[in-house]
Amino acid sequence: MTEYDVILEWPDGRTETIDAPENESVLDAAQRAGVRLPYDCRKGTCITCVGRLLEVDGDDAGDNEATDEDSDADGAVGSPNPADAFAYRRSPAALTEREQTDGYVLLCIAQPRADCRLEVGPQIRAQVGDSPWA
């Protein structure tokens, strides 16, 4: 079984690195390691567990050179692609396509496929807003 290093970062500067097997969600791996993350539904519908992908295998958005593929219509460089770092147990119904493109990830159903770094905590949920199912 393959395990990945998932680095969790909070706004206060605290970081935790957890070992996350590919068949386990980031939330489950964090709880197994004794790391507390916000969550509620565990089904990917409530957004409480949302995190934001900052880096995949050492390739963060700030280090990328802008290419046409990486840029949006305004020429801004996008966030790392969550599809490069995670598989989902089920569709992340609470996130729009745009939110996924912007790097937001539902940690209760996201299973790692690469070493990565995530911004976590309630402030990330505030960036996304409420679940469309709430």
Side-chain angles (χ1 to χ4, degrees), residues 30-53:
Q31 289 183 324
R32 185 176 37 75
V35 176
R36 295 181 64 189
L37 293 174
Y39 71 95
D40 191 12
C41 74
R42 291 185 169 269
K43 296 178 183 173
T45 60
C46 77
I47 298 185
T48 303
C49 67
V50 71
R52 188 169 155 261
L53 184 63

Side-chain angles (χ1 to χ4, degrees), residues 53-105:
L53 184 63
L54 300 173
E55 180 179 350
V56 178
D57 276 336
D59 187 19
D60 69 45
D63 290 342
N64 290 341
E65 291 188 27
T67 66
D68 289 341
E69 287 181 19
D70 296 332
S71 302
D72 64 17
D74 299 326
V77 176
S79 300
N81 185 350
D84 294 339
F86 299 101
Y88 278 112
R89 292 180 182 170
R90 63 183 69 179
S91 174
L95 293 176
T96 65
E97 289 290 324
R98 179 63 188 193
E99 290 164 341
Q100 293 177 59
T101 301
D102 288 344
Y104 293 101
V105 179

